[in-house]
Amino acid sequence: MKQQDVPVLQYPWTYEIGPFSQSFYEEQDRWIDTDYQFMSEATRTKYKKHGLVEATFYMFPAASTKDRLPIARADSI
């Protein structure tokens, strides 16, 4: 199969992330350490580096912190 160059996507809207995007990392780490005890420590450390809770800030940049908590929790599963 011949490889083709794929163009980089460019969107017509602005790239924004919520101002408190870093605030959920401690919460995410606590969730991973509490809920994923069946995984090894090394695996949990890798999961923490993924930053899955940050997806909430990309999808819902205008949501309040209270509204983001359940969404971030679901994103980290």
Side-chain angles (χ1 to χ4, degrees), residues 16-59:
E16 293 185 24
I17 185 168
F20 304 107
S21 65
Q22 301 297 314
S23 65
F24 279 106
Y25 277 105
E26 289 178 17
E27 190 77 22
Q28 170 194 266
D29 292 350
R30 194 175 78 235
W31 291 333
I32 291 172
D33 286 335
T34 304
D35 297 341
Y36 296 106
Q37 288 293 314
F38 60 91
M39 293 181 179
S40 70
E41 182 65 32
T43 302
R44 289 195 311 258
T45 301
K46 287 181 182 180
Y47 268 56
K48 291 175 189 177
K49 292 178 182 178
H50 289 167
L52 297 174
V53 293
E54 199 169 287
T56 305
F57 292 91
Y58 288 103
M59 293 186 288

